[in-house]
Amino acid sequence: MKKYILALDEGTTSARSILFDRDMNIVAVAQNEVPQIFPKPGWVEQNPLEIYASQFASMTECVARSGISPDEIAAVGITNQRETTVVWEKATGRPVYNAIVWQCRRTADICDELVKGGHADEIAEKTGLKIDAYFSGTKIKWILDNVEGAREKAERGELLFGTVDTWLMWKLSGGKIHLTDNTNASRTMLYSLSKSDWDDGLLDILGVPKSMLPGIKRSGAYYGEIDFMGVKLPICGVAGDQQSALFGQCCFESGEMKNTYGTGCFLLAHTGSRIVKSGHGLITTAAASLEGEGSEYALEGSVFVGGAVIQWLRDGLHFIEEAHDSEYFAKKVKDSGGVYVVPAFTGLGAPYWDMKAKGAILGLTRGTKRPHIIRAALESIAYQTDDVIKSIAGDTGVKLSALKVDGGASANDFLMQFQADISDITVIRAEMKEATAAGAAYLAGIASGFFKDKAEVKALSSNHRAFLPQMTREEREKKLSGWHDAVRGCRAY
Ligand code: ADP
């Protein structure tokens, strides 16, 4: 009888492995940092072999630390930083270039060319994405155009492409598995949402030979076996980090949504089998689905500066010593005293899409004190999230009743209550803090038969705290109107 599921969580800066038991208790965790390389301003890379080595070391350490025997593991699930691009030689496994990380802006010019070439509508229509350097397609093109001999080799079928999930599976299986899942594929700008497959027209536009691309499977499916510590383990779950968190939060149905409050905020709303195109600047993306199911979709909106505004209070302004002190100060005053912080440090995302906007603190008076500004900074995270929630509601026409939350800043009770109040929504914070890794574990668990179905995993994650909306409608509208005035003021400047 197998007793455990091993989740591999390859994030932007660290590779982690978490071993879960049948009740989703964490049995062991191991983590290794993966350094980023910054060759020029705006360029971000990682060494693919370091990504693999760190992940492999964390797996080994996690299982060794747990004291279990590896043959007690039922299946492995993988979740990963999305869009990050690796190209390697099929014959030797040698990467032809460093991994180009999702944050890297080097292909902004290629994106401008695509827009000038009149491809924006076709790309948006097929992929659900805005043309942006963020996605993998232009990163592959850059490698083929800039690494000596790469394009010729790719055309001869000698090179392979993968996002980080694919690269890890290829390495862990000794070159036997070259696959990805729908969620990772949907971030490449080469994938058609309606066909759930690579799109030849998009491959032509970006000049990417089809022979480089991995096969695509459902997120919960059998991917193949790896040799690990002397036993063969099946990989049965793969999903990009945000979609994995959506699954890990048990958002399986249309209208269910989650927000991850990390450095930025990532909000995903499940739209079931509907491909909803956004009129508010949101992205349409594949949601995790299981073998034998139809394709599932989600709308995604992000807030660039979420928890990072609290880092700024700590490290930039020295207003607080630790991030969690922000809650203590926010609760010292009865409101923000009319102060609004608009943390547009790197422009504003959905629904404004104003890359030139800069941040501002508005509404200062002689009576403004430090706690007012701290409180306003926390409130800004909720206001920005609310802007995305309203965009989703506008796009789907669905009344969204609950928001499931995770990520570092979701530990802040003041922020969670304010979110419930300002969005007039129930905020649900699960006891299980590892939603991203849990998603990969659930997918691998269901696909391997370790868990029976979605209903069983939903029952496992029933412990949570709910924050119910308490603010009057009048007060909510007044505060929201102040926020929108503040955003206008900041953009006018
Ligand atoms: P990431 O995965 O993006 O690195 P985390 O999920 O670890 O982020 O969350 C860290 C972020 O959350 C930081 O920006 C930090 O300022 C913020 N944060 C952490 N704890 C709190 C807290 N109690 N209140 C407000 N913000 C917090």
Side-chain angles (χ1 to χ4, degrees), residues 261-264 307-308 310-311 314 323-324 326-327 378 407-409 411-412 415:
Y261 295 82
T263 308
I310 304 304
Q311 276 168 356
R314 187 189 63 192
H324 62 80
S326 59
E327 180 164 351
L378 279 172
N412 190 307
L415 173 60

Side-chain angles (χ1 to χ4, degrees), residues 234-253:
I235 297 178
C236 293
V238 175
D241 51 12
Q242 298 307 323
Q243 283 93 336
S244 189
L246 189 69
F247 202 87
Q249 287 275 21
C250 298
C251 296
F252 302 141
E253 312 280 336

Side-chain angles (χ1 to χ4, degrees), residues 8-17 31-37 44-59 78-88 95 97-102 162-169 171-172:
L8 313 184
D9 178 1
E10 207 293 317
T12 306
T13 55
S14 75
R16 300 198 312 149
S17 297
Q31 172 165 351
N32 288 305
E33 299 308 308
V34 184
Q36 290 193 320
I37 303 159
V44 189
E45 299 177 359
Q46 281 178 322
N47 179 339
L49 294 169
E50 228 163 351
I51 294 176
Y52 165 66
S54 300
Q55 191 65 59
F56 187 75
S58 83
M59 283 170 76
I78 298 178
T79 178
N80 57 289
Q81 52 170 319
R82 302 175 302 174
E83 298 103 8
T84 297
T85 298
V86 187
V87 176
W88 66 94
Y97 192 77
N98 272 337
I100 303 187
V101 176
W102 58 274
T163 40
V164 170
D165 53 317
T166 305
W167 167 244
L168 286 177
M169 282 191 280
K171 289 296 287 178
L172 289 168

Side-chain angles (χ1 to χ4, degrees), residues 361-374:
I361 303 178
L362 298 98
L364 300 174
T365 66
R366 184 66 182 82
T368 301
K369 295 200 164 58
R370 188 167 58 148
H372 293 118
I373 295 177
I374 294 172

Side-chain angles (χ1 to χ4, degrees), residues 221-370:
Y222 175 76
Y223 282 78
E225 270 180 347
I226 58 172
D227 280 315
F228 179 65
M229 294 174 120
V231 300
K232 293 207 182 304
L233 293 181
I235 297 178
C236 293
V238 175
D241 51 12
Q242 298 307 323
Q243 283 93 336
S244 189
L246 189 69
F247 202 87
Q249 287 275 21
C250 298
C251 296
F252 302 141
E253 312 280 336
S254 179
E256 294 185 318
M257 62 177 173
K258 69 91 196 174
N259 192 21
T260 302
Y261 295 82
T263 308
C265 297
F266 282 94
L267 207 141
L268 264 75
H270 210 289
T271 59
S273 56
R274 271 172 73 204
I275 301 177
V276 178
K277 292 286 161 61
S278 176
H280 300 85
L282 303 174
I283 283 168
T284 313
T285 196
S289 56
L290 302 169
E291 187 79 60
E293 282 184 345
S295 297
E296 308 261 332
Y297 302 93
L299 274 174
E300 173 173 329
S302 43
V303 168
F304 302 150
V305 176
V309 71
I310 304 304
Q311 276 168 356
W312 171 71
L313 291 183
R314 187 189 63 192
D315 306 336
L317 300 187
H318 302 289
F319 272 20
I320 48 174
E321 272 178 28
E322 300 287 345
H324 62 80
D325 297 340
S326 59
E327 180 164 351
Y328 165 80
F329 284 106
K331 286 178 170 167
K332 274 182 84 155
V333 285
K334 70 175 193 337
D335 56 31
S336 72
V339 174
Y340 288 91
V341 172
V342 185
F345 303 149
T346 49
L348 284 168
Y352 308 104
W353 287 111
D354 185 345
M355 294 304 133
K356 297 204 179 92
K358 297 245 164 53
I361 303 178
L362 298 98
L364 300 174
T365 66
R366 184 66 182 82
T368 301
K369 295 200 164 58
R370 188 167 58 148

